[in-house]
Amino acid sequence: MKKMLLGISALSTLVVLFVGGAATAHADEWRANNPESINITSDQSSYTMVSGDTLWAISQRINLTVSTIAEINNINLLSGEQYQLPVGRIIYFRGEKVTVAEADGSIINETTITDANKVDPSKNVGEPIVRNEAAGTPNTPVNSTNPVTEAPATPTDSNQYSWVAEQVIPDEGHWEYETVWVPNIVTIVDEPERTASEWSHVIISFSDGTTFTINSRPGSPDFLSDPGVQAYMEYEQYLLDNGIPYTITGQEYMGDVTYPAVTHTEDQGSYEEIKTWIVDKPEQVIPGYWVLKP
């Protein structure tokens, strides 16, 4: 992950430039305002940005970290692109509440400040930070010919700078609830499987040893059409026609018959509340950067 440049020449170079009809200043035309040039009196509760302001200079005058000022102004410090704030944008600081608004009064952002958002936690928002005048003033604007690069592993004068560690800002969102039907298909047994011993068939035997099997029960609608009955009647007629004496015996047989279970299905589900996290503002990662020591 890329780091931001030395605080004196990187985060401070996100400058306030004119937008709309005005032209963007070139690097050789632009001059950064130092913190001392930002006039904020002790009883003042707001600051209106002017051309030449930098996030770093403002941070030193109103005791808010560069990352905090960037966040409340909707500036993404990760991209390394040139970000522009319109002249006339106003930062209001009343106690621990900070509001950013356009010149027409429309609110851009509003937040409550904690010590983590301050350059010096011992001071109030709006109080200037004491700084070493010999450290100089950031004077390099960000543009296409002078891009943000990686911070050096060690600053030129490590005694004047502190490294601010990477910050991870958790995502913001809300829970959404939805009631849905969750099915639960259940098989209901109306009649269990059963096995019964029932009439199976009849074997007709003639005295000469000829037998016929009849599978239809006598008296049933399909008895006469049973092939065994047809063959039996034809054979008996043959014996009668030829005067052949005979006797007939019949034997009924029983058999086990299995009947499958009788079932039906039912949906015995229920309504359940499903909870889903909706991300309104994704997690932000602000890389580490160098800042001047107080």
PDB file of all heavy atoms in Angstrom, residues 61-85:
ATOM      1  N   ARG A  61      -4.117  25.354  12.013  1.00  0.00           N
ATOM      2  CA  ARG A  61      -4.823  26.509  12.560  1.00  0.00           C
ATOM      3  C   ARG A  61      -6.088  26.139  13.324  1.00  0.00           C
ATOM      4  O   ARG A  61      -6.498  26.851  14.243  1.00  0.00           O
ATOM      5  CB  ARG A  61      -5.186  27.486  11.428  1.00  0.00           C
ATOM      6  CG  ARG A  61      -4.002  28.235  10.868  1.00  0.00           C
ATOM      7  CD  ARG A  61      -3.345  29.107  11.899  1.00  0.00           C
ATOM      8  NE  ARG A  61      -4.223  30.203  12.324  1.00  0.00           N
ATOM      9  CZ  ARG A  61      -4.080  30.901  13.446  1.00  0.00           C
ATOM     10  NH1 ARG A  61      -3.114  30.595  14.284  1.00  0.00           N
ATOM     11  NH2 ARG A  61      -4.918  31.864  13.749  1.00  0.00           N
ATOM     12  N   ILE A  62      -6.754  25.008  12.950  1.00  0.00           N
ATOM     13  CA  ILE A  62      -8.012  24.674  13.629  1.00  0.00           C
ATOM     14  C   ILE A  62      -7.920  23.358  14.416  1.00  0.00           C
ATOM     15  O   ILE A  62      -8.908  22.871  14.929  1.00  0.00           O
ATOM     16  CB  ILE A  62      -9.180  24.605  12.626  1.00  0.00           C
ATOM     17  CG1 ILE A  62      -9.008  23.449  11.637  1.00  0.00           C
ATOM     18  CG2 ILE A  62      -9.341  25.934  11.894  1.00  0.00           C
ATOM     19  CD1 ILE A  62     -10.206  23.266  10.714  1.00  0.00           C
ATOM     20  N   ASN A  63      -6.700  22.787  14.501  1.00  0.00           N
ATOM     21  CA  ASN A  63      -6.453  21.604  15.337  1.00  0.00           C
ATOM     22  C   ASN A  63      -7.302  20.397  14.926  1.00  0.00           C
ATOM     23  O   ASN A  63      -7.861  19.693  15.745  1.00  0.00           O
ATOM     24  CB  ASN A  63      -6.695  21.926  16.819  1.00  0.00           C
ATOM     25  CG  ASN A  63      -6.142  20.830  17.741  1.00  0.00           C
ATOM     26  OD1 ASN A  63      -5.231  20.107  17.366  1.00  0.00           O
ATOM     27  ND2 ASN A  63      -6.713  20.717  18.934  1.00  0.00           N
ATOM     28  N   LEU A  64      -7.359  20.153  13.611  1.00  0.00           N
ATOM     29  CA  LEU A  64      -7.956  18.935  13.083  1.00  0.00           C
ATOM     30  C   LEU A  64      -6.913  18.267  12.196  1.00  0.00           C
ATOM     31  O   LEU A  64      -6.219  18.947  11.437  1.00  0.00           O
ATOM     32  CB  LEU A  64      -9.213  19.233  12.256  1.00  0.00           C
ATOM     33  CG  LEU A  64     -10.457  19.661  13.014  1.00  0.00           C
ATOM     34  CD1 LEU A  64     -11.575  19.997  12.037  1.00  0.00           C
ATOM     35  CD2 LEU A  64     -10.918  18.575  13.974  1.00  0.00           C
ATOM     36  N   THR A  65      -6.814  16.941  12.288  1.00  0.00           N
ATOM     37  CA  THR A  65      -5.820  16.251  11.472  1.00  0.00           C
ATOM     38  C   THR A  65      -6.150  16.395   9.988  1.00  0.00           C
ATOM     39  O   THR A  65      -7.304  16.631   9.612  1.00  0.00           O
ATOM     40  CB  THR A  65      -5.757  14.753  11.819  1.00  0.00           C
ATOM     41  OG1 THR A  65      -7.012  14.146  11.494  1.00  0.00           O
ATOM     42  CG2 THR A  65      -5.445  14.536  13.286  1.00  0.00           C
ATOM     43  N   VAL A  66      -5.119  16.237   9.173  1.00  0.00           N
ATOM     44  CA  VAL A  66      -5.305  16.321   7.720  1.00  0.00           C
ATOM     45  C   VAL A  66      -6.327  15.288   7.255  1.00  0.00           C
ATOM     46  O   VAL A  66      -7.209  15.574   6.442  1.00  0.00           O
ATOM     47  CB  VAL A  66      -3.951  16.110   7.001  1.00  0.00           C
ATOM     48  CG1 VAL A  66      -4.171  15.899   5.502  1.00  0.00           C
ATOM     49  CG2 VAL A  66      -3.037  17.295   7.235  1.00  0.00           C
ATOM     50  N   SER A  67      -6.239  14.068   7.797  1.00  0.00           N
ATOM     51  CA  SER A  67      -7.170  13.015   7.365  1.00  0.00           C
ATOM     52  C   SER A  67      -8.601  13.357   7.755  1.00  0.00           C
ATOM     53  O   SER A  67      -9.543  13.046   7.019  1.00  0.00           O
ATOM     54  CB  SER A  67      -6.751  11.673   7.964  1.00  0.00           C
ATOM     55  OG  SER A  67      -6.751  11.730   9.382  1.00  0.00           O
ATOM     56  N   THR A  68      -8.787  14.009   8.917  1.00  0.00           N
ATOM     57  CA  THR A  68     -10.139  14.387   9.337  1.00  0.00           C
ATOM     58  C   THR A  68     -10.710  15.456   8.414  1.00  0.00           C
ATOM     59  O   THR A  68     -11.865  15.372   7.979  1.00  0.00           O
ATOM     60  CB  THR A  68     -10.130  14.891  10.793  1.00  0.00           C
ATOM     61  OG1 THR A  68      -9.686  13.844  11.640  1.00  0.00           O
ATOM     62  CG2 THR A  68     -11.519  15.336  11.222  1.00  0.00           C
ATOM     63  N   ILE A  69      -9.897  16.465   8.109  1.00  0.00           N
ATOM     64  CA  ILE A  69     -10.368  17.535   7.209  1.00  0.00           C
ATOM     65  C   ILE A  69     -10.685  16.954   5.831  1.00  0.00           C
ATOM     66  O   ILE A  69     -11.684  17.302   5.200  1.00  0.00           O
ATOM     67  CB  ILE A  69      -9.314  18.658   7.095  1.00  0.00           C
ATOM     68  CG1 ILE A  69      -9.069  19.290   8.469  1.00  0.00           C
ATOM     69  CG2 ILE A  69      -9.769  19.732   6.101  1.00  0.00           C
ATOM     70  CD1 ILE A  69      -7.952  20.307   8.484  1.00  0.00           C
ATOM     71  N   ALA A  70      -9.845  16.034   5.374  1.00  0.00           N
ATOM     72  CA  ALA A  70     -10.090  15.405   4.075  1.00  0.00           C
ATOM     73  C   ALA A  70     -11.397  14.622   4.095  1.00  0.00           C
ATOM     74  O   ALA A  70     -12.203  14.696   3.162  1.00  0.00           O
ATOM     75  CB  ALA A  70      -8.925  14.492   3.707  1.00  0.00           C
ATOM     76  N   GLU A  71     -11.626  13.890   5.183  1.00  0.00           N
ATOM     77  CA  GLU A  71     -12.828  13.047   5.252  1.00  0.00           C
ATOM     78  C   GLU A  71     -14.100  13.882   5.282  1.00  0.00           C
ATOM     79  O   GLU A  71     -15.059  13.583   4.566  1.00  0.00           O
ATOM     80  CB  GLU A  71     -12.772  12.159   6.487  1.00  0.00           C
ATOM     81  CG  GLU A  71     -13.962  11.217   6.593  1.00  0.00           C
ATOM     82  CD  GLU A  71     -13.894  10.312   7.804  1.00  0.00           C
ATOM     83  OE1 GLU A  71     -12.877  10.367   8.521  1.00  0.00           O
ATOM     84  OE2 GLU A  71     -14.856   9.559   8.025  1.00  0.00           O
ATOM     85  N   ILE A  72     -14.140  14.941   6.099  1.00  0.00           N
ATOM     86  CA  ILE A  72     -15.370  15.723   6.200  1.00  0.00           C
ATOM     87  C   ILE A  72     -15.614  16.550   4.941  1.00  0.00           C
ATOM     88  O   ILE A  72     -16.722  17.039   4.716  1.00  0.00           O
ATOM     89  CB  ILE A  72     -15.358  16.635   7.447  1.00  0.00           C
ATOM     90  CG1 ILE A  72     -14.202  17.645   7.392  1.00  0.00           C
ATOM     91  CG2 ILE A  72     -15.307  15.817   8.718  1.00  0.00           C
ATOM     92  CD1 ILE A  72     -14.150  18.585   8.584  1.00  0.00           C
ATOM     93  N   ASN A  73     -14.560  16.707   4.099  1.00  0.00           N
ATOM     94  CA  ASN A  73     -14.735  17.388   2.821  1.00  0.00           C
ATOM     95  C   ASN A  73     -14.881  16.406   1.667  1.00  0.00           C
ATOM     96  O   ASN A  73     -14.830  16.792   0.499  1.00  0.00           O
ATOM     97  CB  ASN A  73     -13.551  18.326   2.559  1.00  0.00           C
ATOM     98  CG  ASN A  73     -13.653  19.631   3.321  1.00  0.00           C
ATOM     99  OD1 ASN A  73     -14.370  20.538   2.904  1.00  0.00           O
ATOM    100  ND2 ASN A  73     -12.960  19.722   4.454  1.00  0.00           N
ATOM    101  N   ASN A  74     -15.026  15.108   2.022  1.00  0.00           N
ATOM    102  CA  ASN A  74     -15.213  14.045   1.014  1.00  0.00           C
ATOM    103  C   ASN A  74     -14.030  13.949   0.047  1.00  0.00           C
ATOM    104  O   ASN A  74     -14.210  13.759  -1.155  1.00  0.00           O
ATOM    105  CB  ASN A  74     -16.514  14.250   0.242  1.00  0.00           C
ATOM    106  CG  ASN A  74     -17.730  14.184   1.136  1.00  0.00           C
ATOM    107  OD1 ASN A  74     -17.761  13.410   2.084  1.00  0.00           O
ATOM    108  ND2 ASN A  74     -18.727  15.002   0.838  1.00  0.00           N
ATOM    109  N   ILE A  75     -12.831  14.067   0.572  1.00  0.00           N
ATOM    110  CA  ILE A  75     -11.614  13.939  -0.234  1.00  0.00           C
ATOM    111  C   ILE A  75     -11.024  12.560   0.020  1.00  0.00           C
ATOM    112  O   ILE A  75     -10.825  12.166   1.174  1.00  0.00           O
ATOM    113  CB  ILE A  75     -10.574  15.021   0.136  1.00  0.00           C
ATOM    114  CG1 ILE A  75     -11.113  16.412  -0.202  1.00  0.00           C
ATOM    115  CG2 ILE A  75      -9.260  14.776  -0.572  1.00  0.00           C
ATOM    116  CD1 ILE A  75     -10.200  17.524   0.220  1.00  0.00           C
ATOM    117  N   ASN A  76     -10.729  11.824  -1.032  1.00  0.00           N
ATOM    118  CA  ASN A  76     -10.132  10.496  -0.929  1.00  0.00           C
ATOM    119  C   ASN A  76      -8.616  10.627  -1.017  1.00  0.00           C
ATOM    120  O   ASN A  76      -8.061  10.929  -2.074  1.00  0.00           O
ATOM    121  CB  ASN A  76     -10.659   9.604  -2.048  1.00  0.00           C
ATOM    122  CG  ASN A  76     -10.165   8.179  -1.916  1.00  0.00           C
ATOM    123  OD1 ASN A  76      -9.320   7.877  -1.073  1.00  0.00           O
ATOM    124  ND2 ASN A  76     -10.693   7.300  -2.740  1.00  0.00           N
ATOM    125  N   LEU A  77      -7.929  10.400   0.104  1.00  0.00           N
ATOM    126  CA  LEU A  77      -6.479  10.538   0.126  1.00  0.00           C
ATOM    127  C   LEU A  77      -5.762   9.354  -0.514  1.00  0.00           C
ATOM    128  O   LEU A  77      -4.556   9.376  -0.663  1.00  0.00           O
ATOM    129  CB  LEU A  77      -5.994  10.692   1.579  1.00  0.00           C
ATOM    130  CG  LEU A  77      -6.448  11.970   2.306  1.00  0.00           C
ATOM    131  CD1 LEU A  77      -5.947  11.946   3.734  1.00  0.00           C
ATOM    132  CD2 LEU A  77      -5.971  13.206   1.594  1.00  0.00           C
ATOM    133  N   LEU A  78      -6.512   8.313  -0.879  1.00  0.00           N
ATOM    134  CA  LEU A  78      -5.871   7.103  -1.397  1.00  0.00           C
ATOM    135  C   LEU A  78      -5.478   7.207  -2.859  1.00  0.00           C
ATOM    136  O   LEU A  78      -4.565   6.537  -3.312  1.00  0.00           O
ATOM    137  CB  LEU A  78      -6.807   5.905  -1.209  1.00  0.00           C
ATOM    138  CG  LEU A  78      -7.184   5.566   0.231  1.00  0.00           C
ATOM    139  CD1 LEU A  78      -8.162   4.407   0.226  1.00  0.00           C
ATOM    140  CD2 LEU A  78      -5.955   5.209   1.039  1.00  0.00           C
ATOM    141  N   SER A  79      -6.194   8.011  -3.621  1.00  0.00           N
ATOM    142  CA  SER A  79      -6.019   7.967  -5.074  1.00  0.00           C
ATOM    143  C   SER A  79      -4.782   8.698  -5.564  1.00  0.00           C
ATOM    144  O   SER A  79      -4.264   8.393  -6.624  1.00  0.00           O
ATOM    145  CB  SER A  79      -7.262   8.554  -5.757  1.00  0.00           C
ATOM    146  OG  SER A  79      -7.391   9.915  -5.408  1.00  0.00           O
ATOM    147  N   GLY A  80      -4.302   9.677  -4.811  1.00  0.00           N
ATOM    148  CA  GLY A  80      -3.142  10.437  -5.264  1.00  0.00           C
ATOM    149  C   GLY A  80      -3.448  11.385  -6.390  1.00  0.00           C
ATOM    150  O   GLY A  80      -2.556  11.925  -7.041  1.00  0.00           O
ATOM    151  N   GLU A  81      -4.722  11.646  -6.681  1.00  0.00           N
ATOM    152  CA  GLU A  81      -5.090  12.569  -7.742  1.00  0.00           C
ATOM    153  C   GLU A  81      -5.134  13.998  -7.201  1.00  0.00           C
ATOM    154  O   GLU A  81      -4.995  14.233  -6.009  1.00  0.00           O
ATOM    155  CB  GLU A  81      -6.457  12.191  -8.302  1.00  0.00           C
ATOM    156  CG  GLU A  81      -6.521  10.814  -8.909  1.00  0.00           C
ATOM    157  CD  GLU A  81      -7.930  10.451  -9.321  1.00  0.00           C
ATOM    158  OE1 GLU A  81      -8.845  11.249  -9.016  1.00  0.00           O
ATOM    159  OE2 GLU A  81      -8.091   9.392  -9.926  1.00  0.00           O
ATOM    160  N   GLN A  82      -5.360  14.939  -8.096  1.00  0.00           N
ATOM    161  CA  GLN A  82      -5.484  16.334  -7.684  1.00  0.00           C
ATOM    162  C   GLN A  82      -6.920  16.574  -7.242  1.00  0.00           C
ATOM    163  O   GLN A  82      -7.848  16.378  -8.005  1.00  0.00           O
ATOM    164  CB  GLN A  82      -5.132  17.273  -8.846  1.00  0.00           C
ATOM    165  CG  GLN A  82      -5.307  18.748  -8.495  1.00  0.00           C
ATOM    166  CD  GLN A  82      -4.934  19.622  -9.661  1.00  0.00           C
ATOM    167  OE1 GLN A  82      -4.456  19.144 -10.665  1.00  0.00           O
ATOM    168  NE2 GLN A  82      -5.163  20.913  -9.525  1.00  0.00           N
ATOM    169  N   TYR A  83      -7.096  16.939  -6.001  1.00  0.00           N
ATOM    170  CA  TYR A  83      -8.422  17.233  -5.468  1.00  0.00           C
ATOM    171  C   TYR A  83      -8.544  18.739  -5.271  1.00  0.00           C
ATOM    172  O   TYR A  83      -7.609  19.384  -4.817  1.00  0.00           O
ATOM    173  CB  TYR A  83      -8.647  16.507  -4.134  1.00  0.00           C
ATOM    174  CG  TYR A  83      -8.725  15.033  -4.296  1.00  0.00           C
ATOM    175  CD1 TYR A  83      -7.577  14.256  -4.221  1.00  0.00           C
ATOM    176  CD2 TYR A  83      -9.933  14.409  -4.561  1.00  0.00           C
ATOM    177  CE1 TYR A  83      -7.634  12.889  -4.392  1.00  0.00           C
ATOM    178  CE2 TYR A  83     -10.002  13.045  -4.724  1.00  0.00           C
ATOM    179  CZ  TYR A  83      -8.845  12.293  -4.642  1.00  0.00           C
ATOM    180  OH  TYR A  83      -8.917  10.937  -4.811  1.00  0.00           O
ATOM    181  N   GLN A  84      -9.691  19.251  -5.607  1.00  0.00           N
ATOM    182  CA  GLN A  84      -9.908  20.686  -5.523  1.00  0.00           C
ATOM    183  C   GLN A  84     -11.095  20.986  -4.622  1.00  0.00           C
ATOM    184  O   GLN A  84     -12.133  20.354  -4.732  1.00  0.00           O
ATOM    185  CB  GLN A  84     -10.161  21.264  -6.912  1.00  0.00           C
ATOM    186  CG  GLN A  84      -8.978  21.074  -7.863  1.00  0.00           C
ATOM    187  CD  GLN A  84      -9.259  21.653  -9.234  1.00  0.00           C
ATOM    188  OE1 GLN A  84     -10.402  21.895  -9.578  1.00  0.00           O
ATOM    189  NE2 GLN A  84      -8.218  21.869  -9.993  1.00  0.00           N
ATOM    190  N   LEU A  85     -10.918  21.968  -3.767  1.00  0.00           N
ATOM    191  CA  LEU A  85     -12.007  22.454  -2.923  1.00  0.00           C
ATOM    192  C   LEU A  85     -12.380  23.851  -3.399  1.00  0.00           C
ATOM    193  O   LEU A  85     -11.500  24.663  -3.686  1.00  0.00           O
ATOM    194  CB  LEU A  85     -11.581  22.503  -1.452  1.00  0.00           C
ATOM    195  CG  LEU A  85     -11.217  21.184  -0.801  1.00  0.00           C
ATOM    196  CD1 LEU A  85     -10.719  21.432   0.613  1.00  0.00           C
ATOM    197  CD2 LEU A  85     -12.421  20.275  -0.779  1.00  0.00           C
TER     198      LEU A  85
END
